[in-house]
């Protein structure tokens, strides 16, 4: 008894919980952590803090970041995978080390696993918790995609925070600053601006804006195009893919060299033709001028929107690797009468903010971070217009409801299209998903009352519920990728896999099996009515038994059993699946479907 | 009307307008209450906006989901709900127009029904006049002068609105509030054109 008592206080009292801060950048990633009041950056095998967001799949091996040598294989690596999150990140456009086709999300998952392992090696312990930063102007799909990739890597994402907010948090805490600050965050692939009020432990975002597809990568491409045109009289677009990539990477190196010196000579090779050319900062500035002007315009527009005079703002904080380009601070000074704060390391400050916030989330604090949603959210109404339900720069979390009705007599179903963006017509906004609320009591047009609830949580992730006020029938939707699992379900699976997992690999296998099982169960649940309609009594009992079996195995961390039970359920539902396809077909032929808006 | 509520965790009685259980300190499912009660401030049009912001931040310091991220799903849900309500209440109370609308509603005045029948010729003329003045102003200096004029009209309307609330003249307050929202709309329009 006494022995146990002596041991107890040590394990429970002095330990602080560990939470990584991960800045998953387009070009570089940085991880950091605060352990027992001490903040530290995570170093890779080469002792570097800045880890290039690069992945190289060779035959049977994977390499990451600084492991990839700058030789021929360098150009086979995957660059800027984060840029795909604003497009379709589920497309299987890459090939892994075994030759299987994989998506941008899976590539990012592998990169997160690499980062997780690095951190575990640095700290000599298992780590699951993290805060991940995302560009403030990232939309719903991109946010949930990043979160999903981290979940699949076995990380428990405690919070997604916006990059400029994280930067301001670290900056405000470190420099003990108060007042209104403008964060100008120009990274490798994204541009964000945020206006924040810092006061006494409060970090409140007033408004945010940006461009999710504008960053240092674009400067590299423009500069490469200009160089080949000017010195080789070749059209960049006529070059082959490999040559293009080489030039863009060379252009990036030249850009970085220009941070240090104003002019120098450099050998450039295009299609086996080598020339020595004079590189200078003036040419570079001219080439990227339009893009820099665009960042200034976005900054100005935001300041005009918020109704705050420029003299009320303490100044601009420059963040992001690309903000090192000198002409940026000159342009800002030209256009705004304000102070520029460049006394932070623009590459590291975002990760630091995430780590400090993560520490406070798990260990408590009086500081509070209040953020806003960057883009308006709404649904499509008659005539293809977007009806806004939550408008941009609304503080999160936010819950808003709106009531809609049918527009045809006897209509029994409504299709809702969830949209995000600022344009009036829905085709110009990003489509987040659609769902159908069926079984509405047939009534004359305009009589049914359907309430749509948009709930935006503190991660900036949207959950939508539609409810028929009369029948109480509800339909839930969360923004998700192709398979049918929402992020709350994913989070639970990751949490349950953390306990009892033998090792990292086992943990990820458990997550994969559970995600597959849960999606399958959701699918069965959604076609429950059809099962009752199309299957024999014995079949129904058989399916139910196997569903229960699978549900039961989900409570364990036995992935072999889960996979076996998925297989079993698959077998007993085979004949149903066939019947359903036939039914769907006859439905279309017989036009026996509900009238849907 | 008010039903006694009981803590979902320890079954202690929760007094009205209380968000935490006084016994076990657990967050409670938020109820539908008006914005003033939610913020715990007096029901008045004349709010000190700096004080309002301080109250708002203090509440978020207590109820933001970041403070509950380690707790049960239920507590996270309640804090998300409460934090959303506080966000919305703050935004509404921070704007004079929606603050007046809330006060009118609390005193039995529904703005929407009055809105359609609004055709006070004097107010409409006043608005037309200032719009024309802005359009006809040839230099940006003159335009700025018109904006100044508009701003003084806005603050005058605000003062009158405040007086009518003090005197409980809700009909007048309703009219003034509609006028105020028109003026505010043109102010934003003017600013965009500058």
């Amino acid at each position: 008894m006494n022995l146990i008592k002596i041991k107890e206080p040590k394990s429970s009292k002095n330990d602080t919980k560990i939470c990584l801060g991960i800045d998953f950048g387009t070009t570089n990633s940085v991880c950091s952590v605060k352990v027992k009041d001490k903040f530290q950056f995570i170093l890779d095998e080469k002792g570097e803090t800045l880890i290039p967001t690069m992945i190289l799949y060779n035959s049977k091996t994977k390499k990451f970041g600084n492991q990839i040598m700058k030789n021929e294989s360098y150009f086979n690596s995957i660059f800027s995978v984060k840029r795909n999150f604003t497009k379709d990140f589920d497309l299987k456009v890459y090939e892994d080390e075994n030759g299987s086709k994989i998506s941008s999300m899976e590539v990012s998952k592998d990169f997160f696993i690499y980062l997780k392992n690095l951190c575990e090696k640095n700290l000599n312990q298992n780590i699951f918790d993290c805060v991940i930063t995302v560009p403030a102007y990232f939309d719903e799909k991109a946010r949930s995609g990043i979160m999903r990739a981290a979940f699949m890597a076995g990380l428990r994402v405690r919070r997604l925070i916006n990059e400029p907010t994280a930067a301001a948090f670290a900056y405000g805490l470190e420099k003990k600053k108060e007042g209104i600050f403008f964060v100008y965050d120009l990274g490798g692939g994204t541009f964000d601006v945020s206006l924040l009020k810092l006061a006494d432990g409060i970090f409140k975002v007033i408004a945010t804006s940006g461009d999710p597809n504008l960053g240092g990568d674009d400067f590299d491409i423009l500069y490469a195009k200009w160089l080949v045109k000017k010195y080789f009289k070749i059209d960049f677009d006529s070059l082959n893919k490999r040559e293009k990539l080489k030039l863009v990477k060379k252009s990036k190196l030249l850009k970085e060299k220009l941070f240090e010196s104003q002019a120098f000579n450099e050998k450039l090779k295009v299609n086996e033709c080598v020339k020595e050319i004079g590189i200078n900062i003036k040419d570079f500035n001219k080439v990227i001028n339009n893009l820099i002007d665009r960042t200034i315009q976005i900054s100005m527009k935001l300041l005009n929107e918020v109704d705050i005079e420029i003299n009320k703002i303490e100044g601009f904080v420059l963040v992001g690797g690309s903000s090192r380009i000198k002409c940026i601070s000159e342009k800002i000074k030209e256009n705004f009468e304000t102070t520029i704060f460049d006394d932070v390391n623009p590459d590291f400050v975002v990760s630091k903010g995430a780590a400090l916030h993560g520490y406070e989330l798990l260990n408590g604090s009086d500081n509070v971070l209040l953020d806003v949603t960057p883009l308006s959210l709404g649904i499509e109404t008659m005539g293809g217009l977007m009806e806004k339900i939550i408008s941009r720069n609304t503080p999160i979390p936010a819950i808003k409801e709106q009531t809609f009705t049918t527009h045809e007599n006897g209509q029994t179903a409504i299709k809702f299209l969830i949209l995000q963006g600022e344009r009036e017509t829905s085709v110009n906004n990003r489509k987040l998903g659609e769902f159908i609320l069926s079984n509405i009591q047939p009534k004359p047009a305009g009589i049914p009352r359907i309430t749509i609830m948009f709930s935006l949580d503190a991660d900036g992730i949207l959950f939508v519920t539609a409810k028929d006020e009369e029948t109480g029938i509800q339909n839930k939707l969360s923004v998700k990728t192709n398979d049918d699992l929402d992020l709350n379900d994913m989070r639970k699976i990751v949490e349950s896999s953390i306990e009892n997992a033998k090792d990292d690999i086992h943990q990820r296998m458990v997550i994969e099996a559970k995600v597959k099982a849960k999606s399958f169960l959701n699918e069965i649940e959604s076609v429950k009515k059809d099962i009752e309609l199309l299957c024999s009594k014995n079949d129904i009992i058989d399916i139910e038994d196997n569903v229960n079996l699978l549900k039961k195995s989900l409570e364990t961390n036995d992935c072999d059993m889960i996979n076996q039970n998925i297989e079993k359920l698959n077998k007993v539902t085979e004949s149903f699946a066939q019947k359903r396809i036939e039914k769907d077909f006859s439905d279309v032929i017989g036009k026996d479907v509900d009238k849907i808006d | 009307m008010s039903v006694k509520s009981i803590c979902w965790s320890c079954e202690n009685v929760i007094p009205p307008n209380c968000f935490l259980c006084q016994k076990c300190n657990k967050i409670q499912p938020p109820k539908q209450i008006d914005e003033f009660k939610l913020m715990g401030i007096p029901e008045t049009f004349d709010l000190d906006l700096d004080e309002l912001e301080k109250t708002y931040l203090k509440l978020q310091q207590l109820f933001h989901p970041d403070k509950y991220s380690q707790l049960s799903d239920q507590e996270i849900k309640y804090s998300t709900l409460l934090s959303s309500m506080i966000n919305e209440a703050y935004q509404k109370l921070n704007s004079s127009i929606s603050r007046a609308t809330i006060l009118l509603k609390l005193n039995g005045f529904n703005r929407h029904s009055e809105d359609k029948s609004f055709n006070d010729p004097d107010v409409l003329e006043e608005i037309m006049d200032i719009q024309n003045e802005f359009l006809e102003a040839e230099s940006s200096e003159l335009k700025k002068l018109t904006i100044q004029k508009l701003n003084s009209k806005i603050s005058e309307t605000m003062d009158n609105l405040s007086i009518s609330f003090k005197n409980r003249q809700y009909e007048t307050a309703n009219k003034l509030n509609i006028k105020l929202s028109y003026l505010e709309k043109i102010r934003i329009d003017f600013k965009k054109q500058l």
Side-chain angles (χ1 to χ4, degrees):
Chain A
M1 273 305 271
N2 278 335
L3 273 175
I4 298 168
K5 268 187 184 164
I6 293 164
K7 262 189 161 179
E8 249 181 16
K10 201 187 165 196
S11 57
S12 64
K13 274 209 166 165
N14 289 336
D15 273 10
T16 54
K17 288 177 184 148
I18 291 182
C19 186
L20 298 172
I22 304 178
D23 172 10
F24 173 61
T26 308
T27 319
N28 294 302
S29 295
V30 177
C31 297
S32 59
V33 66
K34 187 176 167 185
V35 189
K36 288 181 191 160
D37 294 327
K38 245 188 90 193
F39 172 83
Q40 69 181 86
F41 286 106
I42 301 296
L43 304 178
D44 73 358
E45 303 88 346
K46 302 246 159 94
E48 299 283 344
T49 309
L50 210 57
I51 302 163
T53 310
M54 279 167 60
I55 304 97
L56 175 64
Y57 294 106
N58 258 339
S59 53
K60 305 287 165 206
T61 61
K62 284 186 261 207
K63 281 185 177 171
F64 302 91
N66 290 311
Q67 292 174 339
I68 301 165
M69 298 307 229
K70 294 220 162 106
N71 54 28
E72 269 309 295
S73 68
Y74 179 78
F75 294 100
N76 293 329
S77 310
I78 298 169
F79 299 98
S80 305
V81 67
K82 188 182 176 187
R83 291 206 120 177
N84 298 342
F85 280 90
T86 53
K87 297 158 204 148
D88 192 348
F89 47 81
D90 277 321
L91 285 180
K92 297 197 182 281
V93 289
Y94 300 111
E95 224 171 73
D96 74 3
E97 73 276 19
N98 301 316
S100 322
K101 288 274 178 200
I102 57 169
S103 67
S104 307
M105 211 194 70
E106 288 164 300
V107 172
S108 307
K109 178 193 90 177
D110 280 348
F111 193 72
F112 277 124
I113 293 172
Y114 169 69
L115 293 180
K116 183 173 184 270
N117 289 339
L118 266 187
C119 297
E120 289 178 341
K121 260 182 229 147
N122 268 248
L123 298 169
N124 210 9
Q125 68 178 97
N126 283 334
I127 298 170
F128 301 103
D129 293 307
C130 68
V131 166
I132 299 178
T133 60
V134 287
Y137 217 56
F138 250 22
D139 65 23
E140 278 295 309
K141 269 196 173 169
R143 277 168 203 269
S144 50
I146 297 264
M147 208 164 179
R148 233 186 137 71
F151 278 147
M152 294 305 285
L155 285 162
R156 172 161 53 189
V157 185
R158 289 294 191 166
R159 195 57 89 227
L160 285 183
I161 61 172
N162 291 326
E163 285 159 11
T165 312
F169 187 60
Y171 185 73
L173 286 179
E174 192 180 300
K175 310 275 176 191
K176 309 239 179 310
K177 294 261 174 130
E178 299 208 337
I180 298 175
F181 288 85
F182 193 98
V183 180
Y184 176 104
D185 179 0
L186 187 59
T190 57
F191 173 62
D192 285 327
V193 281
S194 280
L195 199 61
L196 285 111
K197 186 170 182 174
L198 276 53
D200 199 22
I202 307 278
F203 300 80
K204 184 184 143 202
V205 180
I206 299 164
T208 191
S209 183
D211 184 335
N213 293 301
L214 170 63
D217 282 7
D218 301 290
F219 302 156
D220 303 342
I221 295 166
L222 272 187
Y223 193 46
K225 282 184 174 174
W226 183 84
L227 285 172
V228 287
K229 186 105 201 164
K230 167 103 178 168
Y231 294 104
F232 295 84
K233 310 279 176 247
I234 297 173
D235 188 13
F236 182 82
D237 293 322
S238 70
L239 298 169
N240 69 36
K241 213 178 153 190
R242 199 177 180 80
E243 201 69 27
K244 275 184 192 166
L245 191 61
K246 274 188 180 175
L247 273 166
V248 171
K249 292 296 144 195
K250 179 79 183 176
S251 156
K252 180 179 153 68
L253 292 175
L254 294 175
K255 174 184 78 180
E256 282 161 7
K257 225 168 152 180
L258 281 171
F259 293 157
E260 314 296 326
S261 83
Q262 302 261 318
F264 51 89
N265 283 345
E266 188 79 25
K267 278 194 184 117
L268 200 62
K269 187 173 153 194
V270 181
N271 284 348
E272 302 306 312
C273 169
V274 183
K275 279 187 183 171
E276 179 153 325
I277 54 175
I279 300 292
N280 70 73
I281 189 83
K282 268 191 191 154
D283 288 339
F284 178 76
N285 286 347
K286 224 192 276 167
V287 171
I288 63 162
N289 189 47
N290 281 345
L291 292 181
I292 299 299
D293 277 349
R294 194 172 147 61
T295 69
I296 299 291
Q297 277 160 18
I298 291 171
S299 308
M300 253 181 199
K301 208 172 154 225
L302 185 73
L303 282 169
N304 281 333
E305 264 175 37
V306 292
D307 230 351
I308 293 176
E309 302 298 326
I310 186 84
N311 57 25
K312 295 265 158 60
I313 293 168
E314 303 294 321
F316 276 51
V317 182
L318 302 191
V319 181
S322 303
S323 72
R324 282 206 181 84
I325 296 168
K326 285 200 186 69
C327 70
I328 289 176
S329 44
E330 283 159 19
K331 274 257 159 109
I332 292 172
K333 273 184 204 150
E334 246 172 63
N335 286 282
F336 308 95
E337 283 168 38
T338 189
T339 318
I340 290 175
F341 300 103
D342 51 6
D343 51 342
V344 283
N345 184 322
D347 284 315
F348 298 160
V349 69
V350 169
S351 165
K352 185 170 184 180
L356 297 179
H357 185 56
Y359 177 87
E360 297 190 351
L361 278 177
L362 299 199
N363 299 294
S365 150
D366 287 334
N367 294 333
V368 61
L369 268 187
L370 302 168
D371 220 315
V372 299
T373 180
L375 294 153
S376 300
L377 293 154
I379 66 164
E380 186 186 63
T381 57
M382 290 271 294
L385 295 180
M386 171 168 162
E387 169 86 23
K388 281 179 191 168
I389 294 182
I390 297 181
S391 38
R392 62 181 291 247
N393 290 329
T394 297
I396 55 169
I399 294 175
K400 298 249 157 103
E401 281 185 348
Q402 203 141 316
T403 308
F404 294 90
T405 187
T406 53
H407 75 277
E408 266 179 50
N409 291 331
Q411 193 175 339
T412 58
I414 300 184
K415 185 165 90 177
F416 293 99
L417 187 60
I418 317 290
L419 301 164
Q420 184 167 37
E422 307 311 315
R423 308 289 290 273
E424 298 228 336
T425 48
S426 54
V427 284
N428 291 313
N429 290 315
R430 193 163 193 199
K431 185 178 150 185
L432 298 180
E434 60 180 34
F435 68 104
I436 291 166
L437 184 72
S438 48
N439 297 320
I440 298 170
Q441 297 283 328
K443 288 269 167 68
I447 298 295
R449 306 198 72 74
I450 314 295
T451 303
I452 305 283
M453 189 174 87
F454 272 43
S455 166
L456 202 53
D457 69 13
D459 292 314
I461 299 287
L462 177 72
F463 296 87
V464 181
T465 325
K467 191 175 157 197
D468 180 353
E469 290 297 337
E470 190 163 349
T471 59
I473 287 174
Q474 276 199 29
N475 206 336
K476 275 188 202 147
L477 171 121
S478 62
V479 178
K480 50 202 170 190
T481 49
N482 289 342
D483 41 86
D484 292 304
L485 213 56
D486 81 28
L487 286 169
N488 282 338
D489 283 342
M490 288 260 344
R491 190 192 302 273
K492 277 185 201 128
I493 287 170
V494 174
E495 261 160 31
S496 73
S497 74
I498 289 171
E499 298 154 26
N500 310 319
K502 281 183 219 118
D503 53 44
D504 275 11
I505 295 165
H506 177 239
Q507 187 210 356
R508 285 195 298 275
M509 276 165 63
V510 172
I511 293 174
E512 255 168 55
K514 285 191 177 181
V515 165
K516 207 168 145 195
K518 191 85 185 83
S519 321
F520 196 12
L521 287 170
N522 285 355
E523 207 183 314
I524 298 279
E525 180 67 33
S526 70
V527 295
K528 215 173 167 184
K529 273 202 174 143
D530 282 351
I531 292 177
E532 282 160 14
L533 207 74
L534 297 171
C535 296
S536 70
K537 225 175 197 171
N538 279 344
D539 282 353
I540 294 173
I541 292 169
D542 227 11
I543 292 173
E544 268 173 15
D545 285 349
N546 278 289
V547 162
N548 289 334
L549 209 64
L550 184 55
K551 274 186 185 161
K552 197 140 213 180
S553 59
L554 267 183
E555 287 162 22
T556 71
N557 270 347
D558 185 343
C559 50
D560 289 340
M561 188 163 77
I562 297 170
N563 283 325
Q564 275 168 25
N565 288 338
I566 292 175
E567 234 359 87
K568 278 186 197 159
L569 184 60
N570 209 0
K571 270 232 165 83
V572 297
T573 50
E574 246 169 25
S575 76
F576 161 73
Q578 188 56 38
K579 279 180 200 154
R580 189 154 185 268
I581 292 168
E582 285 160 16
K583 177 189 171 266
D584 282 351
F585 190 65
S586 71
D587 274 355
V588 177
I589 299 295
K591 283 183 184 164
D592 196 19
V593 281
D594 288 334
K595 222 177 256 169
I596 289 164
D597 180 12
Chain B
M1 262 304 278
S2 80
V3 188
K4 248 192 216 167
S5 58
I6 280 171
C7 174
W8 57 272
S9 175
C10 74
E11 300 192 344
N12 188 41
V13 175
I14 309 288
N17 307 335
C18 224
F19 310 116
L20 293 174
C21 172
Q22 284 162 331
K23 199 169 154 199
C24 70
N25 213 28
K26 289 238 155 75
I27 189 166
Q28 300 300 311
K31 278 174 256 135
Q32 286 298 331
I33 52 172
D34 73 69
E35 288 81 355
F36 289 99
K37 283 207 188 77
L38 182 68
M39 303 290 275
I41 53 170
E43 228 176 80
T44 168
F45 180 72
D46 306 298
L47 281 184
D48 178 341
L49 294 184
D50 286 338
E51 278 302 312
L52 177 70
E53 194 189 18
K54 273 187 200 152
T55 311
Y56 162 67
L57 296 173
K58 223 175 259 165
L59 286 171
Q60 287 294 14
Q61 236 162 348
L62 286 174
F63 299 120
H64 191 275
D66 279 357
K67 309 292 163 194
Y68 293 82
S69 71
Q70 291 267 78
L71 303 178
S72 67
D73 284 359
Q74 198 166 357
E75 284 157 281
I76 292 174
K77 200 176 120 195
Y78 294 153
S79 85
T80 304
L81 212 63
L82 187 55
S83 177
S84 309
M85 284 164 68
I86 294 164
N87 272 334
E88 198 175 358
Y90 170 67
Q91 278 180 297
K92 281 187 174 167
L93 292 176
N94 198 34
S95 133
S96 335
I97 298 166
S98 56
R99 185 166 67 247
T101 310
I102 292 168
L103 275 172
L104 285 164
K105 213 172 133 194
L106 288 174
N107 288 290
F109 249 83
N110 196 344
R111 184 169 175 251
H112 289 287
S113 57
E114 304 292 310
D115 211 355
K116 279 173 205 139
S117 60
F118 181 74
N119 52 4
D120 188 335
D122 292 341
V123 173
L124 289 179
E125 204 185 311
E126 221 182 314
I127 288 162
M128 294 269 274
D129 279 351
I130 201 151
Q131 269 178 322
N132 284 335
E133 198 179 313
F134 188 80
L135 279 175
E136 283 158 16
E138 272 156 7
S139 66
S140 71
E141 289 307 305
L142 282 171
K143 279 190 197 295
K144 271 182 191 159
L145 253 145
T146 317
I147 291 182
Q148 270 178 25
K149 210 166 143 188
L150 176 66
N151 282 338
S152 62
K153 262 187 203 303
I154 288 177
S155 59
E156 188 195 307
T157 315
M158 288 261 282
D159 290 345
N160 290 335
L161 192 54
S162 155
I163 294 167
S164 55
F165 271 119
K166 264 185 207 138
N167 298 334
R168 298 175 183 276
Q169 294 160 326
Y170 298 118
E171 211 146 322
T172 321
N174 188 41
K175 277 189 185 147
L176 285 168
N177 192 33
I178 293 166
K179 181 178 171 182
L180 189 62
S181 53
Y182 275 112
L183 293 174
E184 194 55 38
K185 246 179 242 162
I186 356 183
R187 192 183 73 90
I188 293 166
D189 256 20
F190 285 2
K191 230 194 130 190
K192 267 187 207 153
Q193 287 173 42
L194 210 63

